[in-house]
Amino acid sequence: MKRRNCPIGYAGLAILFFLSAPIKAQIPPHSPDRSHALLNEPVDISGDFRDFANTYYLADSLAGFDPSSGTGKIIYRRYECSTRQAFNNMLAALRPVQPNEFPTVEYAASPALSFSVEFVSQKTIRIRAATGFQVKPDPESIMLIGGRPKKDDSWKYSRIGEGHQYTGPHGSVMIRTKPWHVEIRDAAGRLLTRTVHLSDVDQSTYTPVLPFSFVRRASDYSRSVSAVFTLSPDERLFGCGESFTRLDKRGQKVVLWADDANGVQNETLYKPVPFFFSSRGYGMFMHTSSPVTCDFGKYFNGVNSLMIGDDELDLFIFLGKPKEILDEYTDLTGKAAMPPLWSFGLWMSRITYFSEQQVRDVAGRLRKNKIPSDVIHLDTGWFETDWRCDYEFSTTRFRDPAKMISNLRTDGFNICLWQLPYFVPKNRLFQEIVDKGLYVRDAKGGIPCEDATLDFSNPQAVAWYQERIAGLLKMGVAAIKVDFGEAAPHTGIYASGRTGFYEHNLYPLRYNQAVADVTRRITGENIIWARSTWAGSQRYPVHWGGDAENTDTGMQAQLRGGLSLGLSGFSFWSHDIGGFVLNTPEELYRRWLPFGMLSSHSRCHGAPPKEPWEYGESFMDAFREAAELKYRLMPYIYAQAKDCTERGLPMLRALFVEYPDDPGSWLVEDEYLFGSDILVAPMLENTAERDVYLPPGKWIDYQIGGIYSGGWNRIQHGKIPAVILVREGAALPHADLAQSTMLIDWSKIDLVVFASESDKADGLICLPSDKELVPVHLEKRGGAFSVTGSPLKDGVRINPVLYSEFK
């Protein structure tokens, strides 16, 4: 049946809202026109808030509020969509409407529904609002640490003339009675944002704007919330997961639905996360697994419309600067576990190695050519039939996989294996999965798609799956590639009792957790290699950036995606160096290498060839130099990684995370901080120099030694084709070069001091033996820097050296 869209324009009635007319001439891959919907197409629920058939309930006033518990009720007024013709335009508006239920005495025209405000910490507020009766009003959530949030009783209540106020050391929450508003302010009393009421928009603009409300669908009586908040001039918004569009989401519409994006230059997301934060000093986490559509001022510049598929609002609001918000959000949903040291080394791969001989040859040539590396990844070709995942090595092409893995481990190589949770009918495991009922069902009890999809909401399916993964890990495999996971059937019925409307987005989190848990149980290490996510997936590192195009714009979009994911609570991230889709052009590969090596995790993967010797001696020399840079910096990388796990920070870091008071840093999306002290500006085009924005202070060129001041600078890259700068006053720990992380000598650390004017410097060191993060301070005495105190245990020698003297 065709949808009955409500093309509302200004008509002088109660309230108006928008319609985007469907384009019939050309349907994009992910079309808003549902008559052309494709399998697993992202679910954009915004159309339900502009449908003539639906009923709309607008938040109006507060009733019966109990300050001691923070609970009360919101009275909602009922509206419907109608039309009016004016000056050759058919306009539409919402107008008040009487109940359409029978018996009329049984149903409220203006229902009073539960609302609450709670406090999780001194910087975290929780707002909840129901749209009807809830069978399970407070279920445990796998998105949250411990299933439920903590409670904080430090906020102080006061009665104000027009409502209620709670005040904490970092801000306040004001609840106004009529018209109903929730206002969020900082500690100085500055308004950060507030809910939008009908009275805020019905007279102040000719543009139709839908206020805070919920919709009841005529098609099935389901309900969804539109939590609508104000936006301020020059306010910027960041997050939503690994989004490849512009880093600042202000003015964009983002659909949060896990999707095989098939590239990195479109608006869909492998890794949606229902969290964002504002340059104004607050963040929001929409605690739901339903589809979410965020209109961040795209339709109306001053309004942030969070259209949430769920039939209740559960919204966490965080106060503070970016670091504080990320810390609070990851306190709630979990911080990244610390990955093993070897995972920070180079991963060599292609799609795909097919035999034991190929794997041994690649390992041998890496060592022969002195290219430091720690991991060889086998993609889809290690089974008897390419892509047909049955968790067993091919017997015709792998003579003795256990011995191969053991031999390579002795030489400093770890093995990673590809797999996926979808089983084609020809897979020998297909019938077993069906017979044991381990699959996602359709409405008839059958299989919704061609493949059997494992149901990770079913504990029996998880146990069956983990048994097969455990067999590989016990053989000596170090890591499992957790590929796909974005195509859990939307209409499927899951063992949890819910449909894909609520389980689809949770699927990546359940999938990530299943592999991470069994890996930790067997190997004791925190490592997976995953593509899809939801809120909470950051607990299970590492995630990589999907199938990037082998182009300059693909490289740039991949960087935006990594920065965006880091601004969504993920500490660790990687990408396919050089791009995935085609044979990487040598010139692009050279420029992409330093970006890849100066990411937390570094993998060369994609269409062959990827091995450096396939490009000739000159390229192999350049490749080696980029890899050696990472291995010499391994003590810095490991310490920064540990710091990230403790504070919820990303290794690949937008400039404003460290410099929130610098307006220019909020504008930059083509540079990044690698940890706290190194600034990297990749060469996104084949040029010798580029414009680089530097935050306040002095910055020293890591390769050349030039000194630059904050602001815009035109800078040439060094021998390694990237601009790499270090913060004045930073001390970067280095190690002697080793061909594998297992060969690094941690008893001797060169602490390279980047100081042109400073008499003091600081850095971080973390030894893999004890995994304890230690701050190190240095002072200049007699023309040389020395470490103050004895920060490290006996047997570890720290050698301070000035950057100009370091080789």
Side-chain angles (χ1 to χ4, degrees):
M1 185 178 72
K2 271 196 170 183
R3 297 188 63 79
R4 292 158 291 190
N5 287 324
C6 176
I8 298 178
Y10 178 68
L13 298 178
I15 179 172
L16 313 173
F17 63 117
F18 64 90
L19 167 71
S20 297
I23 300 174
K24 299 293 185 181
Q26 182 177 355
I27 304 299
H30 297 295
S31 169
D33 185 344
R34 297 189 188 182
S35 65
H36 296 272
L38 304 175
L39 179 64
N40 197 41
E41 185 169 323
V43 176
D44 178 1
I45 65 165
S46 61
D48 295 326
F49 291 89
R50 56 175 191 260
D51 191 322
F52 268 97
N54 294 340
T55 304
Y56 303 89
Y57 294 83
L58 278 54
D60 185 59
S61 58
L62 184 67
F65 188 75
D66 176 12
S68 62
S69 63
T71 59
K73 293 184 182 296
I74 300 172
I75 296 174
Y76 291 85
R77 302 298 179 187
R78 183 187 298 216
Y79 291 78
E80 69 175 1
C81 188
S82 63
T83 60
R84 179 182 180 184
Q85 188 274 335
F87 305 111
N88 298 325
N89 284 315
M90 182 61 74
L91 309 175
L94 286 177
R95 66 181 181 188
V97 65
Q98 294 302 309
N100 62 351
E101 302 90 353
F102 182 84
T104 56
V105 296
E106 300 293 340
Y107 306 97
S110 299
L113 300 169
S114 62
F115 158 78
S116 66
V117 58
E118 305 169 22
F119 301 96
V120 178
S121 73
Q122 293 184 348
K123 298 177 183 176
T124 301
I125 306 148
R126 186 185 195 185
I127 293 173
R128 307 180 76 180
T131 65
F133 175 73
Q134 297 294 318
V135 175
K136 296 181 179 179
D138 191 24
E140 287 195 355
S141 168
I142 65 171
M143 290 176 268
L144 306 181
I145 291 295
R148 289 189 175 90
K150 298 176 181 178
K151 297 286 183 71
D152 181 87
D153 298 324
S154 65
W155 292 68
K156 305 301 182 184
Y157 171 78
S158 60
R159 175 73 173 160
I160 56 175
E162 62 271 32
H164 312 268
Q165 181 170 284
Y166 294 89
T167 304
H170 303 282
S172 64
V173 181
M174 185 180 295
I175 306 162
R176 297 189 184 274
T177 303
K178 187 174 177 61
W180 177 78
H181 285 105
V182 175
E183 298 180 358
I184 308 298
R185 297 178 183 272
D186 64 15
R190 183 181 65 144
L191 180 66
L192 302 179
T193 188
R194 73 170 186 169
T195 56
V196 174
H197 184 271
L198 171 60
S199 61
D200 299 327
V201 292
D202 66 339
Q203 299 297 326
S204 64
T205 178
Y206 291 143
T207 304
V209 178
L210 183 67
F212 197 108
S213 57
F214 70 88
V215 62
R216 188 186 71 193
R217 297 175 182 84
S219 58
D220 60 4
Y221 243 55
S222 64
R223 302 176 302 276
S224 293
V225 176
S226 182
V228 183
F229 292 86
T230 58
L231 292 171
S232 299
D234 297 325
E235 183 173 353
R236 303 178 187 282
L237 303 168
F238 301 88
C240 291
E242 187 191 53
S243 173
F244 302 115
T245 60
R246 299 305 297 261
L247 194 60
D248 177 7
K249 301 307 172 198
R250 179 73 178 266
Q252 298 185 45
K253 185 173 91 168
V254 181
V255 176
L256 298 176
W257 180 264
D259 180 59
D260 183 345
N262 284 291
V264 301
Q265 296 186 76
N266 64 76
E267 64 186 0
T268 60
L269 298 95
Y270 298 107
K271 304 175 186 64
V273 179
F275 163 80
F276 67 92
F277 65 87
S278 165
S279 60
R280 202 161 172 81
Y282 69 91
M284 291 184 176
F285 167 48
M286 296 159 278
H287 180 213
T288 182
S289 58
S290 69
V292 176
T293 298
C294 300
D295 187 308
F296 292 122
K298 178 180 185 294
Y299 167 69
F300 189 79
N301 185 258
V303 163
N304 181 7
S305 299
L306 309 177
M307 290 165 276
I308 301 168
D310 214 322
D311 63 0
E312 61 178 332
L313 174 68
D314 191 3
L315 185 69
F316 292 87
I317 302 175
F318 313 98
L319 304 177
K321 293 184 178 181
K323 283 186 179 180
E324 297 170 302
I325 291 171
L326 288 170
D327 194 27
E328 290 290 309
Y329 169 67
T330 53
D331 275 349
L332 182 69
T333 60
K335 289 178 164 59
M338 184 66 177
L341 172 64
W342 58 261
S343 73
F344 294 97
L346 174 64
W347 299 50
M348 181 54 65
S349 177
R350 63 158 63 183
I351 185 164
T352 176
Y353 301 130
F354 284 103
S355 69
E356 178 177 337
Q357 188 60 51
Q358 271 188 303
V359 174
R360 288 184 179 274
D361 286 348
V362 169
R365 296 191 73 169
L366 285 166
R367 292 290 181 253
K368 177 183 177 182
N369 291 302
K370 296 190 180 304
I371 296 170
S373 51
D374 272 77
V375 185
I376 296 179
H377 169 69
L378 282 69
D379 217 61
T380 64
W382 61 281
F383 317 110
E384 196 63 57
T385 301
D386 191 18
W387 288 92
R388 191 182 296 172
C389 173
D390 62 1
Y391 307 105
E392 291 188 359
F393 278 91
S394 163
T395 57
T396 60
R397 290 176 277 110
F398 290 85
R399 183 175 61 255
D400 190 342
K403 184 178 181 181
M404 175 192 75
I405 293 168
S406 176
N407 292 162
L408 292 174
R409 179 69 63 91
T410 301
D411 200 19
F413 288 106
N414 294 272
I415 291 294
C416 175
L417 296 179
W418 177 93
Q419 55 81 64
L420 83 171
Y422 315 144
F423 298 83
V424 298
K426 290 183 178 181
N427 192 312
R428 65 177 183 81
L429 298 173
F430 179 89
Q431 195 60 47
E432 180 183 353
I433 291 167
V434 172
D435 291 344
K436 292 182 177 180
L438 307 179
Y439 61 96
V440 178
R441 292 167 166 78
D442 63 14
K444 187 181 177 182
I447 293 175
C449 310
E450 294 284 350
D451 302 343
T453 301
L454 271 184
D455 183 354
F456 288 112
S457 76
N458 181 347
Q460 287 73 40
V462 173
W464 179 92
Y465 173 72
Q466 289 183 330
E467 183 180 353
R468 278 137 192 86
I469 298 296
L472 298 168
L473 297 169
K474 290 174 181 177
M475 185 186 292
V477 172
I480 299 298
K481 181 174 175 179
V482 186
D483 205 358
F484 293 91
E486 308 95 349
H490 167 215
T491 58
I493 309 297
Y494 293 75
S496 64
R498 304 194 296 184
T499 71
F501 191 80
Y502 287 96
E503 282 291 341
H504 172 93
N505 281 332
L506 270 188
Y507 195 90
L509 175 57
R510 295 188 190 277
Y511 181 25
N512 292 176
Q513 182 179 19
V515 180
D517 284 353
V518 70
T519 302
R520 188 183 305 110
R521 187 169 72 241
I522 302 299
T523 71
E525 295 182 325
N526 301 301
I527 184 69
I528 63 174
W529 193 270
R531 190 174 77 175
S532 57
T533 72
W534 189 248
S537 287
Q538 72 274 4
R539 304 192 294 259
Y540 312 114
V542 174
H543 296 82
W544 99 96
D547 299 341
E549 294 81 5
N550 314 83
T551 61
D552 292 347
T553 53
M555 180 180 173
Q556 183 180 37
Q558 190 78 96
L559 173 56
R560 285 197 300 265
L563 289 171
S564 186
L565 189 68
L567 297 173
S568 305
F570 285 71
S571 293
F572 305 111
W573 175 81
S574 186
H575 48 98
D576 293 341
I577 298 174
F580 175 84
V581 180
L582 301 171
N583 181 336
T584 305
E586 179 180 336
E587 179 274 319
L588 175 64
Y589 206 168
R590 284 177 182 263
R591 288 186 284 113
W592 203 314
L593 272 168
F595 168 37
M597 297 298 177
L598 296 179
S599 297
S600 75
H601 290 75
S602 306
R603 184 179 75 158
C604 298
H605 179 68
K610 281 297 184 179
E611 301 76 20
W613 49 85
E614 299 289 351
Y615 288 83
E617 286 291 332
S618 174
F619 179 82
M620 189 162 62
D621 290 343
F623 189 104
R624 182 187 302 109
E625 190 157 10
E628 289 177 348
L629 169 66
K630 178 159 201 176
Y631 277 74
R632 287 195 175 99
L633 279 170
M634 198 59 70
Y636 171 81
I637 293 168
Y638 195 74
Q640 291 289 324
K642 181 63 174 176
D643 186 43
C644 288
T645 65
E646 294 183 356
R647 297 197 287 158
L649 295 173
M651 281 286 287
L652 194 87
R653 197 171 300 176
L655 304 189
F656 62 75
V657 174
E658 291 291 333
Y659 299 92
D661 297 325
D662 173 40
S665 291
W666 291 87
L667 306 177
V668 178
E669 64 177 19
D670 61 355
E671 309 167 17
Y672 63 95
L673 291 165
F674 185 46
S676 59
D677 298 330
I678 298 177
L679 186 148
V680 182
M683 305 307 294
L684 299 175
E685 297 184 75
N686 187 18
T687 57
E689 60 183 13
R690 59 160 288 179
D691 292 323
V692 180
Y693 180 82
L694 300 179
K698 297 289 186 182
W699 294 83
I700 301 173
D701 193 310
Y702 182 88
Q703 300 187 78
I704 302 171
I707 301 171
Y708 301 90
S709 298
W712 285 103
N713 294 266
R714 188 77 174 171
I715 304 177
Q716 286 192 344
H717 66 71
K719 186 177 181 182
I720 296 173
V723 176
I724 306 170
L725 305 171
V726 182
R727 173 182 64 83
E728 168 82 16
L732 306 188
H734 288 64
D736 288 342
L737 181 63
Q739 292 301 301
S740 167
T741 56
M742 78 174 191
L743 299 175
I744 292 175
D745 181 3
W746 290 87
S747 67
K748 177 178 175 289
I749 303 293
D750 287 325
L751 203 55
V752 183
V753 179
F754 288 81
S756 61
E757 301 174 345
S758 304
D759 292 328
K760 295 182 178 181
D762 58 85
L764 295 171
I765 294 178
C766 181
L767 300 178
S769 57
D770 57 24
K771 299 182 177 63
E772 185 175 324
L773 189 65
V774 179
V776 180
H777 305 285
L778 302 95
E779 292 185 2
K780 194 173 188 179
R781 297 169 183 161
F785 279 91
S786 60
V787 177
T788 61
S790 302
L792 297 181
K793 63 185 181 182
D794 293 341
V796 178
R797 182 167 62 90
I798 301 176
N799 175 39
V801 56
L802 197 62
Y803 73 95
S804 57
E805 302 168 0
F806 180 69
K807 299 298 182 184

